[in-house]
Amino acid sequence: MTVPRPPEPIPGARLLFSLDPSVSYLNHGAFGAVPIGVQRAQQRLRDEMEANPLRFFTQGLVERIAHTRRHLATFLGADPDGTALVGNATTGAAVVLQSLGLRADDEVLTTDHGYGAVAFAVERECARTGATHRCLPVPLDAGDEEIVEIVRAGLRPGRTRLLIVDQLTSPTAKLFPTAAIAGVARERGVPVLVDAAHAPGMLPISVASIGADFWVGNLHKWAYAPRGTAALVVSEPWRERIQPLVVSWEQHGGYPARVEWQATLDYTGWLAAPAGLFTLRSLGVDRVRAHNAALAAYGQRVVGDALGVAPADLPDPGGPTVAMRLVPLPPGVATTVDAAHELRARIAERLDAEVSVAGWNGRGWLRLCGQVYNTPEEYDRLAIRLPTLLAQG
């Protein structure tokens, strides 16, 4: 079997991160990894905050957040006036859900590729309001046209109050045709929330061109921002209806300030986020994206080969631009949440490798990421040692 040639490393990129060199960190999609320069930028802001907390919070902080918001929105191709900074994509989804005013006859429609914490938020809001949560199954190998038709058939105009779809799914690394889905939903008068947790930095995106009512994406994964940095983008007709999860002193400032201002929140991560974009641009945005996607594809092939998975059986639901790839695990392995967590922990402890393991649709899946600090040798080591660990049960 011919394994694709791994990409050439980006010189000096690995030295930009403070990751433990004894661990193969192959799960950037989980919590990201903050470059050292960005860590230092945030620390300088924290030093400023602690030197005079009253001055930091009361003299110009709202304006500094707005300036940062405009910078990040421009990178995302989003309207700065419709963009609010939030802690993460799950928080943004919760803000949207509780602002809808769901009622007993309403339903929220999702797919079975959605993120678990967002599903929890949907279930909680439905339980609180009496609304219904309905989940559409989408085959892993479904093409764009098939996905659109599944969604089209699943919409119930007049009852479906919100459709939530992922731009790039977390458990299955599948790329959804969000612009086409938003168009179908718009024809039927159904608002759409796009969960784009993994999109900023990894994918070339223009939020405005998607045409969704709501879009939320993390910048602390693939855009190198400090953790707790995400953007919630809301279309103009909805902005005045969006309410924060916690009311604070910018409540009368309207959207987005009322969502962003959470009193004594540590805002230094948001203010340091442009340093992450500077790092990405310094390395070369297109270069980083191509490198990471090629490295993830290499890892998928070598690990899949070691587990006896034929190349034709290695899923490619995201296409060549996605820096996350799936490897199917042997039947019966890691098919439940608890079993997946246990296997991930064993791989970390015994193989010194951090990966993602998920049970989806009755099968266990290993998710591998590619990032500029990774090397082909890390995937090679995992491929050599993983079959023995799995054989031990």
Side-chain angles (χ1 to χ4, degrees):
M1 178 186 303
T2 301
V3 175
R5 182 181 178 87
E8 292 296 323
I10 297 177
R14 190 176 180 89
L15 299 176
L16 297 176
F17 296 84
S18 54
L19 292 165
D20 183 349
S22 69
V23 176
S24 296
Y25 199 78
L26 308 178
N27 192 14
H28 186 89
F31 299 101
V34 183
I36 295 171
V38 182
Q39 295 177 40
R40 290 174 176 168
Q42 184 178 14
Q43 187 57 53
R44 288 193 294 271
L45 287 159
R46 282 177 169 155
D47 291 342
E48 176 192 348
M49 177 174 62
E50 296 306 331
N52 190 330
L54 188 65
R55 181 172 60 193
F56 181 86
F57 280 96
T58 63
Q59 296 185 24
L61 181 55
V62 172
E63 290 75 20
R64 292 171 77 176
I65 294 171
H67 177 76
T68 301
R69 176 207 311 143
R70 288 191 291 271
H71 186 99
L72 300 178
T74 299
F75 172 75
L76 297 171
D79 179 1
D81 292 334
T83 302
L85 300 182
V86 292
N88 52 44
T90 307
T91 300
V95 168
V96 172
L97 283 164
Q98 62 91 38
S99 298
L100 288 175
L102 293 175
R103 295 175 296 187
D105 292 334
D106 297 333
E107 71 173 17
V108 178
L109 187 63
T110 63
T111 79
D112 59 352
H113 295 254
Y115 187 57
V118 173
F120 291 155
V122 172
E123 293 288 352
R124 187 187 71 170
E125 193 64 18
C126 287
R128 188 180 71 84
T129 61
T132 302
H133 176 203
R134 190 160 55 91
C135 184
L136 292 175
V138 177
L140 186 61
D141 60 355
D144 287 356
E145 292 185 2
E146 183 180 355
I147 294 172
V148 171
E149 288 308 310
I150 290 172
V151 171
R152 188 195 307 272
L155 293 172
R156 298 174 179 173
R159 182 169 183 185
T160 307
R161 286 290 308 282
L162 183 68
L163 166 66
I164 303 178
V165 293
D166 294 61
Q167 190 161 355
L168 177 62
T169 67
S170 177
T172 58
K174 185 172 182 62
L175 195 63
F176 270 54
T178 48
I181 291 172
V184 166
R186 188 164 51 249
E187 292 172 358
R188 284 157 175 73
V190 175
V192 177
L193 165 61
V194 173
D195 181 350
H198 291 276
M202 186 202 296
L203 304 176
I205 55 174
S206 170
V207 175
S209 68
I210 294 174
D213 300 89
F214 315 101
W215 180 100
V216 61
N218 294 324
L219 289 113
H220 56 243
K221 293 181 185 284
W222 304 90
Y224 301 151
R227 287 176 202 88
T229 305
L232 170 63
V233 183
V234 177
S235 64
E236 198 280 331
W238 285 95
R239 291 173 192 171
E240 288 309 308
R241 297 177 58 179
I242 296 296
Q243 295 293 329
L245 298 177
V246 178
V247 174
S248 192
W249 287 101
E250 285 297 315
Q251 179 65 17
H252 298 298
Y255 181 88
R258 66 159 63 111
V259 170
E260 292 174 332
W261 188 258
Q262 296 292 297
T264 51
L265 185 74
D266 184 349
Y267 300 96
T268 60
W270 295 356
L271 299 180
L277 297 186
F278 176 81
T279 303
L280 180 60
R281 289 170 173 143
S282 296
L283 293 171
V285 178
D286 292 338
R287 184 185 191 187
V288 168
R289 287 170 176 161
H291 170 277
N292 292 348
L295 193 58
Y298 172 82
Q300 181 193 43
R301 284 292 296 273
V302 295
V303 175
D305 186 18
L307 296 181
V309 182
D313 295 327
L314 290 172
D316 184 18
T321 63
V322 171
M324 302 193 301
R325 292 290 184 115
L326 294 184
V327 178
L329 294 169
V333 175
T335 58
T336 67
V337 172
D338 289 343
H341 288 175
E342 190 274 335
L343 177 58
R344 184 198 62 77
R346 280 201 295 138
I347 292 172
E349 179 182 355
R350 300 185 188 181
L351 307 186
D352 295 321
E354 295 290 355
V355 299
S356 174
V357 180
W360 184 83
N361 204 20
R363 186 75 185 264
W365 301 88
L366 181 75
R367 191 191 73 188
L368 298 172
C369 298
Q371 188 48 265
V372 295
Y373 51 72
N374 292 128
T375 65
E377 291 76 20
E378 292 176 307
Y379 305 92
D380 295 339
R381 286 196 298 270
L382 179 63
I384 292 170
R385 302 174 66 188
L386 182 60
T388 300
L389 184 143
L390 293 178
Q392 295 171 349

